Amino acid sequence: MTTTYDVAIVGAGMAGASLAAVVAPHARVVVLEAEDAFGYHATGRSAAFWSETYGGPDIQPLTTASGPFLHAGGHLSPLGSLHIGRAEDEAAIEALLATFAGSDVMLHRVDPAAFVPGLRADWTLAVHEPSSAYIDVAALHAWSIAMARNAGADFITGAALIAATHADGRWTIDTAAGGYRARLLVNAAGAWSDVVAARAGVRPLGLQAYRRTMAQVRTDPGAPSDLPHVADVAGRFYFKPEPGGRIWLTPHDEIPTAPCDAAPEEIDVALAIDRFERVVDWRVDAVERRWAGLRTFAPDRLPIYGFDPRVPAFFWCAGQGGFGIQTAPAAALLAAGELLGTAPDPAVAAIDPGRYSPRRF
């Protein structure tokens, strides 16, 4: 006999796993993962940093609210972020400071040459964000899965959703791993979220996946251990130090793509190196590793948390873009309150879930 769950979550990346960890103590949960490994796509390819300015002012409350949990769990390590620019980027620097002037985010204008040895002379502007930190993504994801399992959640791999139908107050879910039943169906399928919606008979919301390229390079000189995360205020690159004097860098590309197992293009790796060498006088000796991941956005680039207005038993947990890791703890609490119909957790009580509701579409 097929087990009937309270909640079936499609997707075991960070979004689905963190939501399962919060919901499983209160409901019977199954997590259906299409791949044979958890977090294979966006979660496993994250650049792994936490920045309160990343994603803009509509994302900052979720990031900031996630901070205490991430610190308490030992998932953050000091890093700091430096937003740099040239003379023509003065307006962008001022806009960054103005955007977060009324928030608790600490930002200070500084001399970038004091933070980045070998910085080329035309990079004269900078804003320092000292709170920015490394995230141990693997540990956070594994912790979420373990907490959900300890609370009784079942995780099924190789369970790509084929179809789902809703009748008589429950979903009948057909997957590559077999059939399941649940009262509520949660769409946490990342780049495949619109595909999952369509297979469940729910109107897609126009989510778009984008490819982001990353490369690990060895440089001469090697990156100093106290180098911060360095981001172009105009959004053309960022790079950050890694153990052994290595650098992770990206051309900050967003290439529209269908949901897929993303792979880097040589031209994008070359573009990343070119932009990096225009910032510092270091030489890139070798590209040791290159990869690409998918980041998926709604049309307005805000995440989507909430019940579909046309199919009330279908819950969206999608569109986290590039900030899904750093917002995961708060987003899971916010989404869980909406999903279970409970009072919001104190950590997110000041955040209006309405701004992320699918009803805006």
Side-chain angles (χ1 to χ4, degrees), residues 140-199:
L140 177 62
H141 189 223
W143 180 90
S144 298
I145 292 171
M147 290 297 290
R149 280 177 162 160
N150 289 343
D154 293 328
F155 282 76
I156 313 296
T157 56
L161 187 139
I162 298 169
T165 56
H166 188 254
D168 300 324
R170 70 181 181 187
W171 288 93
T172 299
I173 307 163
D174 183 20
T175 81
Y180 300 87
R181 294 179 182 145
R183 184 171 58 86
L184 302 175
L185 181 61
V186 176
N187 184 1
W192 284 262
S193 293
D194 266 359
V195 174
V196 165
R199 291 178 180 177

Side-chain angles (χ1 to χ4, degrees), residues 51-359:
S51 166
E52 292 178 279
T53 62
Y54 191 52
D58 288 311
I59 304 305
Q60 178 262 319
L62 292 171
T63 305
T64 299
S66 297
F69 171 87
L70 294 169
H71 278 291
H75 300 302
L76 296 183
S77 301
L79 174 62
S81 188
L82 195 68
H83 307 266
I84 66 172
R86 293 174 288 203
E88 60 266 31
D89 299 315
E90 177 65 35
I93 290 284
E94 290 295 338
L96 174 63
L97 292 168
T99 295
F100 294 96
S103 73
D104 293 330
V105 181
M106 292 186 296
L107 296 174
H108 313 285
R109 288 198 71 145
V110 296
D111 176 6
F115 292 80
V116 184
L119 187 70
R120 297 194 183 277
D122 52 337
W123 294 92
T124 57
L125 307 177
V127 171
H128 187 223
E129 182 183 345
S131 63
S132 184
Y134 287 105
I135 302 178
D136 189 336
V137 177
L140 177 62
H141 189 223
W143 180 90
S144 298
I145 292 171
M147 290 297 290
R149 280 177 162 160
N150 289 343
D154 293 328
F155 282 76
I156 313 296
T157 56
L161 187 139
I162 298 169
T165 56
H166 188 254
D168 300 324
R170 70 181 181 187
W171 288 93
T172 299
I173 307 163
D174 183 20
T175 81
Y180 300 87
R181 294 179 182 145
R183 184 171 58 86
L184 302 175
L185 181 61
V186 176
N187 184 1
W192 284 262
S193 293
D194 266 359
V195 174
V196 165
R199 291 178 180 177
V202 177
R203 181 178 68 89
L205 297 183
L207 290 157
Q208 175 63 57
Y210 298 88
R211 187 178 73 240
R212 167 63 55 85
T213 305
M214 298 292 299
Q216 176 176 300
V217 299
R218 186 177 72 247
T219 63
D220 182 18
S225 60
D226 60 350
L227 183 74
H229 168 269
V230 180
D232 177 18
V233 73
R236 293 162 292 203
F237 62 81
Y238 66 76
F239 57 88
K240 71 185 186 77
E242 287 295 308
R246 270 51 175 180
I247 287 286
W248 278 12
L249 59 88
T250 174
H252 212 257
D253 52 336
E254 285 190 352
I255 311 300
T257 182
C260 64
D261 185 357
E265 298 284 347
E266 287 299 326
I267 186 64
D268 296 319
V269 175
L271 183 62
I273 293 171
D274 178 68
R275 291 180 179 177
F276 174 73
E277 291 181 336
R278 291 174 185 266
V279 179
V280 292
D281 62 8
W282 311 353
R283 184 179 71 249
V284 173
D285 281 347
V287 177
E288 297 182 326
R289 190 160 66 96
R290 67 201 75 196
W291 67 99
L294 298 180
R295 44 204 293 112
T296 303
F297 289 97
D300 61 1
R301 299 182 75 87
L302 297 183
I304 308 169
Y305 305 119
F307 283 106
D308 189 274
R310 297 167 183 80
V311 185
F314 186 90
F315 191 93
W316 290 86
C317 184
Q320 291 91 351
F323 39 79
I325 307 296
Q326 66 176 34
T327 62
L333 292 173
L334 193 74
E338 295 290 296
L339 181 67
L340 299 174
T342 57
D345 186 276
V348 295
I351 301 175
D352 177 15
R355 74 169 80 180
Y356 312 118
S357 170
R359 295 183 180 276

